[in-house]
Amino acid sequence: MTRSLAFALLPLSALLGAACSGPPLQPGVEAAPMQEDPGPTIPQGGLCAPALLDAELSTPEIPEPPPPTPCEVEVAPSQHTPVRPLGIGYTQGENPIPARTVYLTLDDGPSEWTHEFLDILADKGVKATFFVTAKQLKGAEGLDGTYVDVQGRTITYRDVLKRIVDDGHALGNHTVNHPDLARITRAQISSEIEQNELLVNRALVRAGAQPRLLPLFRPPYGSPWYTGVAGMVPPRASERVSSHGLNIMWNITSTDAADWAIGESYSRTATPVPTPDPPEYDEKIARLKNYVLSSTQFAAGEGMIVLMHDTHSTTRDALPDIIDGLSAAGYAFETIDHYVDWRWRRPAIDLTPGPSLYQACVDERNWGCASFGVPVGTDRAREVCGRMWVGFQAFGGESALGEPIAEPVQNPETGIVSQAFDRATLELHPENEAPCNVVAIQQ
Ligand SMILES: [Zn+2]
């Protein structure tokens, strides 16, 4: 109480040193479709997070975290033991997948084929999860780049991205350039994940869609967890990755990325990718179907997270039969967002705690949330979770902002997530670069 009173005498601005670069934009300017750089979207009177947040996230040398402290929290027998790294579907994963439920995941897009994948999914009435890269296979312009489709129309990748969202599919983060995370530094890992969220959101805004946080993460190659790649457990990368997104692996691979069939390419305009001893095109399509529909998981009616890529035309051509085969066996198609609700009864954004809270000892029921005066999970208006927690800490936490007075809400028109505290409202702007991705508006 004394501490709160002492800080209450200071205006919020005295506690927040950082200023944004550039003036706030007028409403609507940020949505200009072809604007080269829309700049940060900052509401009137808003202050960006102190530079501390940015420094923490981009410091080249980040000290090794202390060894994990054993949890003293009593975990009820019915609760699962906390799984670290946070993740589902990986080979030795401990997270269950609901029976006869399939999560189709499509990585590495958007590509020149993605519209056709979306057509198939729409035709079948099926939702999937797309783990997108901002630049990989798209060239230097990334999501602002273009290609010419079969009808001769020039298509911008960001418009494909918008359609993924408009069609109701889930969107996940797959890094900017698709590096092997076991082979780059912690700072590079942070940059790859956070820059991808930023570039994807800038593209969405430029395409006229709402920004959105990307708390679902698929590591390229499944590395460093996938034992077939690096086999390093526990890798130095694991905590850093898990602090930026919920780690989503798979338990079935279609094997589409294992090779390129004769005549197959990631693009309709690029020359086919040479592969030693390539399979025939139809042979590969049959193989992809077989890997899913002849799997032991399928035979047993088990839940499946299927790894596929919307950068392979063979996958596009195998997809209708794969969907039909799964449907005929009574499988329901869901997105990973749906899985997270089923598994943890919280949105994924609440489960991506950020670097600070991830180090804390919390039991699985409390992942990513700090509670003010009530048990976690009983009143979201008294909790600060996930990314909001990171922003809350960056602005000085309870001593500067007070306690939460409302649950986080997403503005349906702007996509911005906000939460009100005693002395300020915090907004998460995924389309803005740090430190302006967290903005405080004084009450
Ligand atoms: Zn990938």
Side-chain angles (χ1 to χ4, degrees):
M1 189 65 178
T2 310
R3 183 185 51 173
S4 295
L5 278 175
F7 280 96
L9 297 174
L10 295 171
L12 183 64
S13 54
L15 295 164
L16 311 174
C20 303
S21 56
L25 297 176
Q26 294 302 310
V29 171
E30 67 276 11
M34 295 305 291
Q35 190 170 333
E36 205 46 47
D37 182 0
T41 56
I42 303 157
Q44 205 71 32
L47 291 164
C48 299
L52 176 64
L53 181 63
D54 190 29
E56 149 66 15
L57 297 176
S58 60
T59 304
E61 289 304 321
I62 294 168
E64 289 295 318
T69 313
C71 274
E72 292 171 4
V73 179
E74 282 290 323
V75 179
S78 62
Q79 298 290 325
H80 293 273
T81 305
V83 177
R84 295 190 182 185
L86 303 180
I88 55 171
Y90 55 102
T91 316
Q92 285 86 34
E94 297 175 37
N95 287 307
I97 303 172
R100 291 215 186 273
T101 305
V102 60
Y103 305 87
L104 300 177
T105 63
L106 292 154
D107 293 5
D108 299 358
S111 79
E112 295 183 27
W113 309 120
T114 303
H115 268 309
E116 292 159 30
F117 280 80
L118 291 167
D119 289 343
I120 293 165
L121 294 169
D123 181 54
K124 303 286 184 188
V126 162
K127 303 297 182 209
T129 303
F130 289 78
F131 289 96
V132 298
T133 56
K135 288 197 174 158
Q136 180 219 15
L137 303 178
K138 286 172 272 288
E141 290 196 311
L143 295 164
D144 291 329
T146 61
Y147 66 93
V148 177
D149 74 2
V150 274
Q151 277 97 36
R153 296 172 300 189
T154 299
I155 306 289
T156 309
Y157 286 114
R158 61 175 176 246
D159 293 331
V160 185
L161 198 62
K162 180 177 184 293
R163 185 180 166 199
I164 292 173
V165 170
D166 288 347
D167 283 6
H169 302 292
L171 205 56
N173 194 332
H174 197 43
T175 74
V176 177
N177 297 299
H178 208 272
D180 180 342
L181 301 184
R183 300 174 194 283
I184 61 176
T185 66
R186 286 164 173 268
Q188 287 170 326
I189 293 169
S190 291
S191 175
E192 278 285 343
I193 298 173
E194 290 170 15
Q195 281 297 306
N196 198 53
E197 182 170 270
L198 178 69
L199 293 171
V200 165
N201 276 288
R202 285 194 172 163
L204 285 173
V205 169
R206 286 175 193 182
Q210 290 179 359
R212 59 188 54 219
L213 293 158
L214 300 180
L216 304 178
F217 180 70
R218 158 107 6 117
Y221 316 106
S223 174
W225 290 282
Y226 183 51
T227 50
V229 178
M232 301 193 308
V233 178
R236 61 179 183 158
S238 65
E239 288 190 17
R240 178 115 305 219
V241 173
S242 298
S243 71
H244 287 64
L246 194 61
N247 190 43
I248 309 298
M249 300 291 276
W250 58 86
N251 66 343
I252 294 274
T253 172
S254 65
T255 72
D256 59 349
D259 50 24
W260 296 88
I262 293 168
E264 187 182 24
S265 167
Y266 60 86
S267 140
R268 67 180 72 249
T269 48
T271 50
V273 181
T275 300
D277 195 20
E280 295 287 339
Y281 196 88
D282 288 346
E283 187 188 334
K284 182 170 174 182
I285 291 173
R287 186 187 79 204
L288 305 190
K289 292 187 214 171
N290 195 48
Y291 261 85
V292 179
L293 300 177
S294 297
S295 64
T296 54
Q297 291 93 331
F298 177 81
E302 292 175 4
M304 295 195 274
I305 300 174
V306 184
L307 172 68
M308 297 190 291
H309 298 78
D310 51 322
T311 50
H312 283 256
S313 50
T314 47
T315 312
R316 174 201 60 192
D317 295 334
L319 185 59
D321 284 351
I322 289 176
I323 291 174
D324 289 348
L326 289 161
S327 290
Y331 270 85
F333 295 82
E334 302 287 0
T335 67
I336 297 292
D337 281 333
H338 183 275
Y339 176 84
V340 173
D341 277 343
W342 174 84
R343 174 68 181 84
W344 289 288
R345 310 240 176 267
R346 287 182 173 281
I349 187 62
D350 282 5
L351 296 162
T352 52
S356 305
L357 193 59
Y358 186 74
Q359 300 302 329
C361 183
V362 288
D363 92 45
E364 189 180 7
R365 292 161 295 181
N366 298 358
W367 270 348
C369 289
S371 180
F372 291 77
V374 296
V376 169
T378 57
D379 182 359
R380 293 196 73 208
R382 302 298 296 160
E383 293 173 1
V384 189
C385 296
R387 308 284 181 91
M388 195 63 79
W389 175 258
V390 179
F392 180 70
Q393 287 186 310
F395 275 104
E398 185 185 358
S399 58
L401 300 173
E403 297 183 358
I405 56 175
E407 64 183 80
V409 290
Q410 185 170 37
N411 184 315
E413 293 184 357
T414 64
I416 306 301
V417 180
S418 66
Q419 185 168 19
F421 296 85
D422 288 331
R423 275 164 245 150
T425 295
L426 293 190
E427 291 187 347
L428 303 182
H429 287 246
E431 78 285 16
N432 286 353
E433 207 156 352
C436 293
N437 54 354
V438 186
V439 175
I441 304 155
Q442 203 164 357
Q443 307 287 26

